[in-house]
Amino acid sequence: MSAGDVPAALARCPLFDGIAPLLARFTAPGLPRLAELDALYAEATANAGLRPLRFIAAPDGVAYEDYVARHDAVPTRPDDWHDFFNALAWCVWPRSKSACNRLHLQAAEARAAEGLVGRGPLRDALTQFDECGVLVVGSDAEILQLLADHEWEEAFWRRRRHLAESTRFLVFGHASWDQLRAPFTGLCAKVIYRQVDEGWLALPAAQRQAEADVWLAAHLTAVAGALTPRLLRPLPLLGIPGVTPDSEREDYYRDRRQFRPRPDGQVAAKSRTVT
């Protein structure tokens, strides 16, 4: 077994901070049993007024979103890192994950009532964000706009110190955590931006995470009528300072394989809110 087989080994890695306290509990090689994930979720959501939830071995041929909603149970493949990270996402983003689940079902029912086939843009966007979403929260509107405009070198390199002081990258997508175990050139997330005041940045990490979950659940619900995959902005995860040693060089940000300019004529989505 390598260190990569031990969940706790990831607790200090960049972009795993949202689930670091949970990862740190599992110091033995291999992934926890489903009963342990049940207990983890129950502890994480205690006294929060949220629905009870279990993690069960994935039945064959079930529709994931429908099954979660009808059974309060999350199909989870044992010994599967992707599904393990999905369980941890349910623990730290319980309101937002529930909102995604509810919006999926509402969209499916609405399309069926209209006689439409296919998943539709809302469900596609929700799936993209569920798999590889990041909530980028910052106190500097200019930094957020630079990121939304694909001004990667300016935001990530020239304003590196201010970015670190003013901006937090909160991973939502469980597939992103899985991919970050062995990052590769071009690894990209889908982003929602949010502007806050500096007081939010001063909150303890656990309080920031809980508040962000409340905000994101409300935000997804509010924008559901207009949400499409196109509105989720791309973000090259390996450009975030500290994620890879390669980012310590200025010329790293001139590699167009992953730091692509914004397509001409494309308007950056402005989904930020000041709290």
Side-chain angles (χ1 to χ4, degrees):
M1 290 281 185
S2 68
D5 296 310
V6 180
L10 298 169
R12 294 183 179 274
C13 294
L15 299 181
F16 285 87
D17 45 318
I19 54 173
L22 306 183
L23 289 168
R25 297 184 180 203
F26 304 113
T27 58
L31 298 179
R33 296 168 298 172
L34 297 179
E36 294 177 273
L37 296 178
D38 289 347
L40 201 64
Y41 179 83
E43 179 185 336
T45 59
N47 303 317
L50 299 171
R51 70 185 189 182
L53 205 63
R54 298 176 298 118
F55 300 93
I56 64 166
D60 292 333
V62 301
Y64 174 87
E65 300 292 349
D66 185 72
Y67 196 90
V68 172
R70 297 187 187 283
H71 300 280
D72 288 331
V74 180
T76 304
R77 293 166 292 186
D79 300 317
D80 184 274
W81 281 93
H82 182 95
D83 286 11
F84 168 61
F85 286 125
N86 186 47
L88 296 190
W90 274 101
C91 290
V92 298
W93 296 100
R95 291 173 175 81
S96 299
K97 294 282 281 187
S98 289
C100 284
N101 183 238
R102 182 182 68 255
L103 292 169
H104 266 289
L105 293 184
Q106 291 175 351
E109 291 169 358
R111 290 182 66 83
E114 296 176 23
L116 300 174
V117 298
R119 292 166 50 85
L122 172 57
R123 296 197 67 198
D124 286 345
L126 289 171
T127 296
Q128 285 189 13
F129 194 72
D130 188 48
E131 292 286 340
C132 57
V134 173
L135 177 62
V136 178
V137 186
S139 61
D140 189 320
E142 190 173 0
I143 290 288
L144 296 178
Q145 193 63 52
L146 287 169
L147 293 170
D149 288 341
H150 296 202
E151 296 291 344
W152 310 121
E153 188 174 349
E154 182 69 26
F156 286 142
W157 183 259
R158 297 193 186 96
R159 307 199 192 190
R160 195 178 190 84
R161 180 176 298 179
H162 186 53
L163 176 93
E165 294 171 347
S166 69
T167 313
R168 300 292 178 267
F169 299 88
L170 307 184
V171 175
F172 181 85
H174 54 285
S176 291
W177 279 319
D178 193 16
Q179 292 168 328
L180 283 164
R181 292 173 60 227
F184 52 87
T185 298
L187 177 56
C188 188
K190 294 294 187 177
V191 175
I192 291 174
Y193 289 100
R194 178 193 181 192
Q195 186 180 348
V196 297
D197 59 34
E198 292 182 357
W200 187 93
L201 296 171
L203 295 173
Q207 192 172 342
R208 289 200 305 265
Q209 177 65 43
E211 193 278 339
D213 182 36
V214 172
W215 182 89
L216 182 58
H219 178 75
L220 290 171
T221 301
V223 302
L227 188 60
T228 67
R230 186 179 177 85
L231 292 181
L232 297 173
R233 306 302 304 159
L235 180 78
L237 291 179
L238 301 192
I240 299 171
V243 175
T244 174
D246 292 339
S247 70
E248 298 302 319
R249 308 186 326 268
E250 182 177 4
D251 62 349
Y252 174 71
Y253 292 101
R254 295 168 188 168
D255 182 352
R256 293 297 181 91
R257 291 177 300 169
Q258 57 181 332
F259 301 110
R260 299 177 181 177
R262 197 179 74 198
D264 291 340
Q266 191 176 89
V267 177
K270 291 183 170 67
S271 58
R272 299 188 294 278
T273 299
V274 179
T275 59

